[in-house]
Amino acid sequence: MSQPSSMPADDRFHSAHVPELCPGFIRLTWDPVWAVEKRIRVCDYTCDCVPTFYELCQAGGQYFIRRTRRVGGEVLVDQSALGGRAQTFLVWIKVLTGVAG
């Protein structure tokens, strides 16, 4: 049996990285996390190797985006408003492309 090779130094093991915000970006409203449902399903996420990363979440038929920030040794978590699938997916694409944040 062969030994597993060490992990490559490239980005094959990273999730999507959110680019810098575009000039004139759409400023999203972020609210403190509230208990929506007991079960939250993470549908997609960005790489957590950077200080700010995002998760596209679903709970009870509603969708939202959760933002996690590591600032000065603290972990701050907030989320967008609840919305329908199509509406929230459009916002998610804007976050992934740096158009909104």
Side-chain angles (χ1 to χ4, degrees):
M1 183 179 258
S2 65
Q3 292 288 84
S5 62
S6 62
M7 288 180 61
D10 60 22
D11 286 340
R12 286 186 280 170
F13 297 100
H14 288 267
S15 301
H17 288 97
V18 176
E20 296 276 330
L21 290 168
C22 298
F25 72 95
I26 300 164
R27 187 172 301 277
L28 299 176
T29 300
W30 298 100
D31 300 318
V33 173
W34 65 88
V36 184
E37 294 283 329
K38 291 184 181 185
R39 292 181 180 232
I40 295 174
R41 178 176 162 242
V42 176
C43 304
D44 198 9
Y45 51 89
T46 66
C47 196
D48 67 352
C49 73
V50 293
T52 301
F53 56 96
Y54 302 87
E55 297 169 308
L56 174 63
C57 302
Q58 185 234 347
Q62 296 286 301
Y63 290 81
F64 61 96
I65 298 168
R66 185 164 44 198
R67 177 179 69 171
T68 302
R69 296 174 292 148
R70 293 183 286 248
V71 180
E74 281 189 84
V75 177
L76 308 172
V77 182
D78 42 27
Q79 65 189 43
S80 68
L82 293 172
R85 182 179 184 271
Q87 176 189 14
T88 307
F89 274 51
L90 288 174
V91 175
W92 179 245
I93 295 300
K94 290 177 182 180
V95 169
L96 291 179
T97 58
V99 174

